Amino acid sequence: MSQGYVVGHITVKDAEKWAEYRGKVPDTLAPWGAELVFRGHRVASFSGDSPHADIVVIRFPSAAAASGWFASPAYQALIPLREQAAEVLLLAYED
């Protein structure tokens, strides 16, 4: 079975609210068997340009699990805080 991934491209607007949001996300991931793969800050752009300096990659057991997590009431409740804290582009992938 293919694994699912959520990739977030992030520009933080409010560091305090972003820290609050980041602290709440792990509890929404656990029921979906997800794990944080990578979180980082861009140090160079070798080709092209992105307006976002930060990235997060989350692995799920399947693309369906990633979709379920995003649609879950637990995660949906965090979206207003996320929107106050940062500009976030969330993309779903599967391998």
Side-chain angles (χ1 to χ4, degrees), residues 41-87:
H41 187 79
R42 182 180 63 228
V43 295
S45 180
F46 295 126
S47 176
D49 191 32
S50 170
H52 303 291
D54 296 314
I55 191 169
V56 64
V57 178
I58 304 166
R59 180 176 26 239
F60 291 81
S62 66
S67 294
W69 163 76
F70 182 79
S72 72
Y75 184 71
Q76 288 293 307
L78 294 182
I79 290 176
L81 177 59
R82 184 193 76 203
E83 290 175 343
Q84 293 172 15
E87 296 289 331

Side-chain angles (χ1 to χ4, degrees), residues 13-67:
K13 299 186 293 188
D14 183 320
E16 191 171 298
K17 287 182 180 179
W18 183 247
E20 180 183 353
Y21 167 80
R22 281 181 48 182
K24 293 179 177 185
V25 169
D27 287 342
T28 71
L29 296 170
W32 300 96
E35 66 176 306
L36 178 65
V37 175
F38 174 76
R39 179 182 287 140
H41 187 79
R42 182 180 63 228
V43 295
S45 180
F46 295 126
S47 176
D49 191 32
S50 170
H52 303 291
D54 296 314
I55 191 169
V56 64
V57 178
I58 304 166
R59 180 176 26 239
F60 291 81
S62 66
S67 294

